[in-house]
Amino acid sequence: MLLTPRGGISGYAYTHARVRAMYSTLLSPHQWAKLYDAADFDILTAMLKETGYAPYIMVRAAGRKPTPRWVIYQTKRRMADAYMTVFRSVPARNYSLLVQLYRRFEIDNLKAVLRGIETGASWDSVLYVLFPLGEATALPARTMLEGGSVPAAIEHLRRTPYYNTLSHALRRYTAEQSLFPLEVALDLSYWRTLWHEVNQLSRQDQAHALPIVGALLDMNNLMWAIRYREYHHLSEEEIINYTLPSGYRVRDEDIRAIAAGADIAQIVTKIYPELANVDALLREPESGLPALELQLQMQLAEQCRRAFIGYPFHIGIPLAYLVLTELESQDLTVIVEAKSAQMPAERFRSQLLMGNIAHP
Amino acid sequence: MSRLDIPPTRSNLLQIRQELQFAREGYEILDKKREVLTSELIRVAHDAEELQTRMRDLMSSAYHILGQARLIMGQENLEWAALAVNKTVDVQIQSRSIMGVSLPRIKARGEPPEMPYSLGNTTAALDEASAAFREVLDNLPELSELVTSVWRLAGELRKTQRRVNALQYIFIPDYEETVAFIESALEEREREETFRLKLLKNRPSNPAQSESA
């Protein structure tokens, strides 16, 4: 049984102490610099053994050399464990927000299973790409896959929060024989529920959670609208249908304007006046968009770091820590992939988020 | 050059002349075929080379972008996204004929779905890689059509060239020499015959008369 503190200052005191302790195990700028300078993948792995990732990297059986894929998987395991530890320390009334945040990984696993069914993939090949949720999932992934049909798989989800969403989208799946409507329904439902959970918080918690969840949601929503338009050439109506009508800084009218073909740089500058050189960045949208995505993620990381400054007894602290853990894992993925491909530093440095941001 | 080893008879002369005529006509036809194949090959090879260069650039750029996507998302996430794509294009192959050479006409139908995956937990780099490979895929049927055509035309041209050479340098000269040989042999035989007839004509009809005289 999970021991969850009741809440209030005493509840968050425990949360804060716990999360602060874990926060200190995030990679420091000094450690990032060392990892960045690692001569190759083997040295990088050895360096990781001197960080908070040590328990995850050292478990490799003797004689078995760590592979890049395994190292990345282990960083995800650490992230999953961080969620579990935070869950145990958060006041019960705010527990559901973090659980909803964690569901993103479960949704990714659900998508992998549905894709596996659709493509006739084996369990091994699906298992290979699943996020290590461990016991924290009610998803009967293997049973669903072995059922061999998407409608039958959805029936296995009756007692999960995904059943209603998927069964509503099933008609379009049947008509179009494409998983896209199911996946979009899952994504939109996820963010709506997360936003709803934020709005259920007390006023004080809401004030701290909104900037973080809002930044996450805005970043996704804005990038979706732009990507649907620039890469996938969807119609105005489709873009509006496949994005969220609300956000923190991104408004419905912004999404509608993007869908209608308005100048993206102008809209992004209006939403994020603090972003520099958006015009130059988006002069060639196809190469500039990944860079814009990165800038928005950097803003998110900054936002999370700011949560640790000032009054500490609020949901923003565990929330920010979890998001930072995820961003750290993303950065480690970049470094691991780069080092294993023996990529020169100048080719991957621009892709780093945490490695480029100094601790406050 | 060597003449055919056949007896120099009038019937053989007629037959060889006929075959020589046939070989000359064949040579003319094959020579024309060679010209047509050569010009077609030059045209198709030029198109193929241009498209191949373009494809090389496209592929190089697509792999570079895929490398970026892999860098950002990681191999595992990339494979997670790729699980969504199970459909590729259907290829329909028809053929057209140029001077008896069957050249393919390749049409791709049923593009992969425009939106194989939803955008959750994917990046713009993945979209860019996907768009780059879609462009590669769009050009692939035409490239395979052109490259196959080049190979088939080149193969046929080589065969035709061999036949033309064989006719030009072996069969026709051999036939010509054989015809010349038979003609000269027949003429020789005719001369001999004439000489023999003259000799017979000049010989006295009664040998006893010539003796008494």
Side-chain angles (χ1 to χ4, degrees):
Chain A
M1 195 181 127
L2 297 178
L3 285 172
T4 50
R6 280 186 175 181
I9 291 179
S10 60
Y12 276 125
Y14 175 67
T15 309
H16 179 246
R18 203 65 214 264
V19 172
R20 273 278 175 191
M22 291 196 291
Y23 180 69
S24 68
T25 65
L26 286 176
L27 295 169
S28 66
H30 174 66
Q31 285 171 319
W32 276 118
K34 276 178 75 180
L35 294 175
Y36 177 78
D37 290 332
D40 57 32
F41 172 70
D42 291 340
I43 294 172
L44 178 82
T45 315
M47 283 175 175
L48 280 173
K49 288 178 184 167
E50 292 162 14
T51 66
Y53 289 89
Y56 297 88
I57 302 297
M58 284 160 109
V59 292
R60 192 73 165 171
R64 288 188 69 194
K65 225 178 141 193
T67 61
R69 191 182 191 117
W70 182 80
V71 171
I72 292 170
Y73 181 81
Q74 292 302 92
T75 66
K76 287 181 180 173
R77 274 197 55 212
R78 187 185 183 218
M79 188 164 54
D81 287 351
Y83 266 92
M84 293 303 125
T85 312
V86 170
F87 285 167
R88 287 189 203 104
S89 70
V90 170
R93 64 193 158 87
N94 296 337
Y95 184 74
S96 54
L97 171 69
L98 300 181
V99 168
Q100 180 59 22
L101 188 71
Y102 191 55
R103 284 210 175 104
R104 198 144 36 112
F105 306 113
E106 194 168 52
I107 286 176
D108 287 345
N109 283 1
L110 179 53
K111 284 181 188 173
V113 172
L114 294 177
R115 289 170 187 179
I117 295 171
E118 192 73 355
T119 54
S122 67
W123 168 243
D124 283 346
S125 55
V126 172
L127 183 64
Y128 214 45
V129 297
L130 295 184
F131 184 88
L133 289 169
E135 299 299 313
T137 178
L139 215 63
R142 188 166 192 166
T143 316
M144 285 169 71
L145 185 83
E146 287 170 353
S149 103
V150 170
I154 292 173
E155 281 307 308
H156 286 291
L157 298 171
R158 266 189 185 277
R159 286 167 187 220
T160 68
Y162 313 116
Y163 180 73
N164 283 340
T165 308
L166 288 174
S167 49
H168 282 126
L170 195 58
R171 203 177 304 145
R172 267 196 67 196
Y173 162 77
T174 314
E176 295 172 22
Q177 284 303 301
S178 160
L179 285 179
F180 180 69
L182 295 177
E183 292 195 3
V184 166
L186 281 171
D187 286 340
L188 293 178
S189 162
Y190 168 82
W191 289 105
R192 279 195 199 105
T193 312
L194 190 69
W195 200 236
H196 172 76
E197 291 295 345
V198 174
N199 287 315
Q200 296 301 304
L201 297 171
S202 67
R203 190 170 293 175
Q204 192 197 341
D205 274 338
Q206 214 180 88
H208 289 96
L210 267 175
I212 298 169
V213 176
L216 256 175
L217 185 141
D218 282 348
M219 181 180 73
N220 278 286
N221 206 24
L222 181 70
M223 286 310 297
W224 287 355
I226 299 172
R227 287 166 64 191
Y228 279 135
R229 191 182 107 180
E230 292 298 315
Y231 292 112
H232 304 285
H233 314 293
L234 298 194
S235 68
E236 184 178 347
E237 193 188 351
E238 284 173 314
I239 295 174
I240 292 166
N241 280 343
Y242 300 150
T243 46
L244 295 159
S246 56
Y248 184 57
R249 290 171 75 172
V250 177
R251 302 281 165 210
D252 187 31
E253 60 262 27
D254 300 324
I255 297 295
R256 284 177 182 274
I258 290 171
D263 181 47
I264 294 171
Q266 214 174 348
I267 293 169
V268 173
T269 312
K270 192 193 103 192
I271 303 168
Y272 301 103
E274 67 276 21
L275 284 185
N277 298 328
V278 174
D279 268 328
L281 201 68
L282 295 178
R283 204 160 289 143
E284 281 183 33
E286 303 223 328
S287 55
L289 287 179
L292 174 67
E293 201 168 45
L294 206 72
Q295 285 208 10
L296 294 177
Q297 283 177 333
M298 280 183 178
Q299 275 209 328
L300 173 68
E302 290 283 12
Q303 185 71 52
C304 291
R305 291 212 181 277
R306 277 201 291 274
F308 285 87
I309 302 166
Y311 181 75
F313 305 115
H314 53 80
I315 191 76
I317 296 272
L319 199 58
Y321 166 71
L322 292 173
V323 174
L324 284 173
T325 313
E326 198 180 328
L327 295 175
E328 183 174 278
S329 169
Q330 186 183 317
D331 256 16
L332 274 175
T333 301
V334 172
I335 291 198
V336 167
E337 289 288 352
K339 295 291 172 189
S340 62
Q342 295 176 327
M343 201 177 270
E346 64 274 11
R347 266 193 65 194
F348 70 87
R349 186 177 184 103
S350 61
Q351 302 299 332
L352 295 175
L353 293 167
M354 311 287 282
N356 283 333
I357 298 171
H359 285 251
Chain B
M1 274 201 301
S2 62
R3 62 180 165 78
L4 304 178
D5 186 22
I6 51 170
T9 62
R10 192 159 293 278
S11 67
N12 278 346
L13 177 66
L14 288 174
Q15 193 193 330
I16 294 295
R17 270 189 185 153
Q18 206 173 4
E19 280 179 20
L20 177 63
Q21 178 65 20
F22 186 66
R24 280 181 179 146
E25 281 170 9
Y27 169 77
E28 273 170 32
I29 291 168
L30 286 176
D31 194 41
K32 275 181 194 156
K33 181 178 177 178
R34 184 177 58 175
E35 274 174 31
V36 173
L37 288 179
T38 307
S39 61
E40 185 67 14
L41 180 62
I42 289 169
R43 190 188 67 76
V44 175
H46 177 257
D47 290 354
E49 197 186 348
E50 265 186 4
L51 190 58
Q52 217 160 18
T53 311
R54 201 166 145 247
M55 280 290 270
R56 214 170 284 135
D57 293 344
L58 282 176
M59 291 282 272
S60 150
S61 149
Y63 274 107
H64 175 75
I65 298 167
L66 185 69
Q68 285 298 110
R70 180 183 164 167
L71 183 70
I72 297 166
M73 292 176 64
Q75 176 72 19
E76 189 184 302
N77 259 22
L78 213 55
E79 284 176 25
W80 168 82
L83 256 184
V85 186
N86 66 331
K87 287 168 191 156
T88 183
V89 292
D90 290 325
V91 174
Q92 190 186 25
I93 304 175
Q94 292 174 331
S95 62
R96 66 197 170 105
S97 175
I98 289 183
M99 299 300 283
V101 188
S102 170
L103 301 180
R105 187 170 284 166
I106 302 173
K107 291 254 183 287
R109 288 189 311 178
E111 271 190 305
E114 186 59 47
M115 290 299 309
Y117 52 83
S118 64
L119 302 188
N121 198 25
T122 61
T123 63
L126 180 70
D127 287 347
E128 213 180 316
S130 164
F133 276 102
R134 192 175 286 272
E135 202 179 345
V136 168
L137 193 63
D138 285 344
N139 284 290
L140 214 52
E142 194 188 346
L143 182 67
S144 51
E145 177 183 315
L146 289 172
V147 170
T148 310
S149 297
V150 167
W151 279 102
R152 289 198 182 163
L153 284 169
E156 188 64 23
L157 183 63
R158 204 168 36 239
K159 261 195 276 180
T160 309
Q161 183 66 52
R162 263 205 310 267
R163 285 176 187 157
V164 166
N165 286 347
L167 285 173
Q168 190 177 3
Y169 299 111
I170 300 169
F171 286 97
I172 293 176
D174 285 359
Y175 285 139
E176 282 172 345
E177 200 182 326
T178 309
V179 166
F181 163 72
I182 296 175
E183 277 174 352
S184 71
L186 287 177
E187 275 171 21
E188 184 62 32
R189 204 178 291 165
E190 226 168 90
R191 271 195 300 276
E192 272 178 21
E193 188 66 18
T194 313
F195 181 74
R196 196 174 58 80
L197 283 174
K198 272 187 183 168
L199 210 69
L200 282 174
K201 209 175 174 183
N202 293 339
R203 195 184 284 180
S205 53
N206 190 348
Q209 270 181 352
S210 61
E211 267 176 36
S212 61

